Short mmCIF file of all heavy atoms in Angstrom, two decimals:
data_model
loop_
_atom_site.label_atom_id
_atom_site.label_comp_id
_atom_site.label_asym_id
_atom_site.label_seq_id
_atom_site.Cartn_x
_atom_site.Cartn_y
_atom_site.Cartn_z
N VAL A 14 0.99 31.76 0.89
CA VAL A 14 1.03 30.48 0.24
C VAL A 14 -0.26 30.16 -0.52
O VAL A 14 -0.29 30.04 -1.73
CB VAL A 14 1.31 29.35 1.26
CG1 VAL A 14 1.19 27.99 0.57
CG2 VAL A 14 2.71 29.48 1.85
N LEU A 15 -1.39 30.14 0.18
CA LEU A 15 -2.68 30.00 -0.45
C LEU A 15 -3.20 31.34 -0.96
O LEU A 15 -3.74 31.40 -2.09
CB LEU A 15 -3.73 29.42 0.52
CG LEU A 15 -3.43 28.00 1.05
CD1 LEU A 15 -4.42 27.58 2.09
CD2 LEU A 15 -3.41 27.01 -0.13
N VAL A 16 -3.04 32.39 -0.19
CA VAL A 16 -3.56 33.71 -0.63
C VAL A 16 -2.43 34.70 -0.60
O VAL A 16 -1.47 34.62 0.20
CB VAL A 16 -4.62 34.17 0.36
CG1 VAL A 16 -5.84 33.16 0.29
CG2 VAL A 16 -4.21 34.30 1.81
N ASP A 17 -2.44 35.68 -1.53
CA ASP A 17 -1.36 36.60 -1.70
C ASP A 17 -1.64 37.87 -0.81
O ASP A 17 -1.90 38.93 -1.27
CB ASP A 17 -1.30 37.03 -3.22
CG ASP A 17 0.07 37.53 -3.52
OD1 ASP A 17 0.97 37.59 -2.64
OD2 ASP A 17 0.26 37.90 -4.69
N SER A 18 -1.51 37.58 0.49
CA SER A 18 -2.00 38.51 1.48
C SER A 18 -0.96 39.36 2.15
O SER A 18 -1.32 40.45 2.72
CB SER A 18 -2.74 37.74 2.60
OG SER A 18 -1.82 36.81 3.15
N GLU A 19 0.27 39.02 2.09
CA GLU A 19 1.30 39.74 2.87
C GLU A 19 1.47 41.17 2.56
O GLU A 19 1.52 42.02 3.47
CB GLU A 19 2.58 39.01 2.79
CG GLU A 19 2.61 37.53 3.35
CD GLU A 19 2.27 37.45 4.88
OE1 GLU A 19 2.09 38.50 5.51
OE2 GLU A 19 2.36 36.30 5.40
N PRO A 20 1.46 41.62 1.31
CA PRO A 20 1.59 43.07 1.00
C PRO A 20 0.36 43.80 1.50
O PRO A 20 0.49 44.95 2.06
CB PRO A 20 1.67 43.09 -0.51
CG PRO A 20 2.22 41.79 -0.93
CD PRO A 20 1.58 40.82 -0.02
N LEU A 21 -0.87 43.22 1.45
CA LEU A 21 -2.08 43.83 1.94
C LEU A 21 -2.01 43.96 3.51
O LEU A 21 -2.39 44.99 4.05
CB LEU A 21 -3.25 43.04 1.52
CG LEU A 21 -3.48 42.87 0.00
CD1 LEU A 21 -4.77 42.13 -0.31
CD2 LEU A 21 -3.45 44.20 -0.70
N ALA A 22 -1.60 42.87 4.12
CA ALA A 22 -1.52 42.87 5.58
C ALA A 22 -0.54 43.92 6.09
O ALA A 22 -0.78 44.56 7.09
CB ALA A 22 -1.14 41.47 6.08
N ALA A 23 0.61 44.05 5.36
CA ALA A 23 1.59 45.06 5.82
C ALA A 23 0.99 46.49 5.70
O ALA A 23 1.22 47.28 6.53
CB ALA A 23 2.84 44.99 4.83
N ARG A 24 0.24 46.68 4.65
CA ARG A 24 -0.42 47.98 4.47
C ARG A 24 -1.38 48.28 5.65
O ARG A 24 -1.46 49.38 6.12
CB ARG A 24 -1.14 48.07 3.13
CG ARG A 24 -1.63 49.44 2.78
CD ARG A 24 -2.69 49.45 1.67
NE ARG A 24 -2.31 48.59 0.59
CZ ARG A 24 -3.17 48.19 -0.39
NH1 ARG A 24 -4.45 48.51 -0.26
NH2 ARG A 24 -2.78 47.43 -1.39
N ALA A 25 -2.15 47.21 6.03
CA ALA A 25 -3.17 47.38 7.12
C ALA A 25 -2.42 47.69 8.37
O ALA A 25 -2.90 48.59 9.16
CB ALA A 25 -3.98 46.08 7.24
N TYR A 26 -1.32 46.98 8.76
CA TYR A 26 -0.58 47.28 9.96
C TYR A 26 -0.08 48.74 9.93
O TYR A 26 -0.21 49.46 10.95
CB TYR A 26 0.59 46.38 10.10
CG TYR A 26 0.27 45.13 10.90
CD1 TYR A 26 -0.08 43.92 10.23
CD2 TYR A 26 0.31 45.15 12.30
CE1 TYR A 26 -0.39 42.77 10.93
CE2 TYR A 26 0.07 43.94 12.98
CZ TYR A 26 -0.31 42.79 12.29
OH TYR A 26 -0.60 41.66 13.03
N GLU A 27 0.47 49.19 8.79
CA GLU A 27 0.95 50.55 8.70
C GLU A 27 -0.15 51.55 8.98
O GLU A 27 0.07 52.50 9.74
CB GLU A 27 1.57 50.80 7.34
CG GLU A 27 2.23 52.17 7.22
CD GLU A 27 2.96 52.28 5.88
OE1 GLU A 27 2.85 51.40 5.02
OE2 GLU A 27 3.59 53.36 5.66
N ARG A 28 -1.31 51.37 8.41
CA ARG A 28 -2.44 52.28 8.55
C ARG A 28 -2.87 52.36 10.00
O ARG A 28 -3.18 53.36 10.54
CB ARG A 28 -3.60 51.84 7.63
CG ARG A 28 -3.41 52.11 6.19
CD ARG A 28 -4.65 51.62 5.43
NE ARG A 28 -4.43 51.81 3.98
CZ ARG A 28 -5.34 51.41 3.05
NH1 ARG A 28 -6.45 50.68 3.50
NH2 ARG A 28 -5.18 51.63 1.79
N VAL A 29 -2.99 51.17 10.61
CA VAL A 29 -3.51 51.11 12.02
C VAL A 29 -2.58 51.76 12.95
O VAL A 29 -3.00 52.52 13.86
CB VAL A 29 -3.86 49.65 12.43
CG1 VAL A 29 -4.20 49.62 13.92
CG2 VAL A 29 -5.01 49.12 11.59
N TYR A 30 -1.29 51.47 12.83
CA TYR A 30 -0.34 52.09 13.72
C TYR A 30 -0.32 53.63 13.51
O TYR A 30 -0.19 54.40 14.54
CB TYR A 30 1.11 51.51 13.48
CG TYR A 30 1.37 50.30 14.33
CD1 TYR A 30 0.90 49.07 14.02
CD2 TYR A 30 2.17 50.44 15.47
CE1 TYR A 30 1.09 47.99 14.81
CE2 TYR A 30 2.41 49.32 16.29
CZ TYR A 30 1.87 48.08 15.96
OH TYR A 30 2.11 47.00 16.74
N GLU A 31 -0.42 54.12 12.27
CA GLU A 31 -0.43 55.55 12.04
C GLU A 31 -1.69 56.14 12.65
O GLU A 31 -1.67 57.27 13.25
CB GLU A 31 -0.47 55.78 10.51
CG GLU A 31 0.88 55.65 9.90
CD GLU A 31 0.86 55.95 8.42
OE1 GLU A 31 -0.22 56.15 7.83
OE2 GLU A 31 1.95 56.05 7.82
N LYS A 32 -2.84 55.44 12.56
CA LYS A 32 -4.11 55.95 13.19
C LYS A 32 -3.92 56.13 14.72
O LYS A 32 -4.59 56.99 15.31
CB LYS A 32 -5.25 55.03 12.92
CG LYS A 32 -5.80 55.05 11.47
CD LYS A 32 -6.88 54.07 11.24
CE LYS A 32 -7.33 54.09 9.81
NZ LYS A 32 -8.39 53.03 9.57
N HIS A 33 -3.08 55.30 15.29
CA HIS A 33 -2.85 55.40 16.75
C HIS A 33 -1.64 56.23 17.10
O HIS A 33 -1.05 56.08 18.22
CB HIS A 33 -2.74 53.98 17.31
CG HIS A 33 -4.06 53.32 17.43
ND1 HIS A 33 -4.96 53.41 18.51
CD2 HIS A 33 -4.70 52.45 16.60
CE1 HIS A 33 -6.05 52.71 18.33
NE2 HIS A 33 -5.90 52.11 17.13
N GLY A 34 -1.18 57.05 16.11
CA GLY A 34 -0.07 57.95 16.42
C GLY A 34 1.28 57.32 16.37
O GLY A 34 2.21 57.87 17.08
N MET A 35 1.48 56.23 15.69
CA MET A 35 2.71 55.55 15.72
C MET A 35 3.24 55.30 14.27
O MET A 35 3.03 54.18 13.77
CB MET A 35 2.64 54.22 16.51
CG MET A 35 2.40 54.39 17.98
SD MET A 35 2.12 52.85 18.88
CE MET A 35 0.47 52.51 18.43
N PRO A 36 3.71 56.30 13.62
CA PRO A 36 4.14 56.13 12.21
C PRO A 36 5.45 55.33 12.12
O PRO A 36 6.16 55.07 13.09
CB PRO A 36 4.38 57.58 11.77
CG PRO A 36 4.75 58.32 13.00
CD PRO A 36 3.96 57.65 14.11
N GLY A 37 5.78 54.95 10.88
CA GLY A 37 7.01 54.26 10.60
C GLY A 37 6.98 52.76 10.64
O GLY A 37 8.05 52.13 10.47
N VAL A 38 5.80 52.19 10.73
CA VAL A 38 5.69 50.75 10.70
C VAL A 38 5.46 50.35 9.27
O VAL A 38 4.38 50.06 8.78
CB VAL A 38 4.55 50.22 11.58
CG1 VAL A 38 4.48 48.69 11.56
CG2 VAL A 38 4.73 50.68 13.03
N HIS A 39 6.58 50.43 8.46
CA HIS A 39 6.52 50.23 7.02
C HIS A 39 6.69 48.81 6.62
O HIS A 39 6.86 47.91 7.50
CB HIS A 39 7.51 51.10 6.36
CG HIS A 39 8.92 50.97 6.88
ND1 HIS A 39 9.72 49.84 6.63
CD2 HIS A 39 9.63 51.73 7.74
CE1 HIS A 39 10.85 49.94 7.25
NE2 HIS A 39 10.80 51.06 7.92
#
Side-chain angles (χ1 to χ4, degrees):
V14 172
L15 296 175
V16 300
D17 204 0
S18 57
E19 297 295 3
L21 302 180
R24 191 196 312 164
Y26 269 95
E27 183 174 5
R28 286 179 181 175
V29 172
Y30 271 79
E31 284 183 349
K32 286 178 182 178
H33 286 275
M35 294 176 282
V38 182
H39 52 75

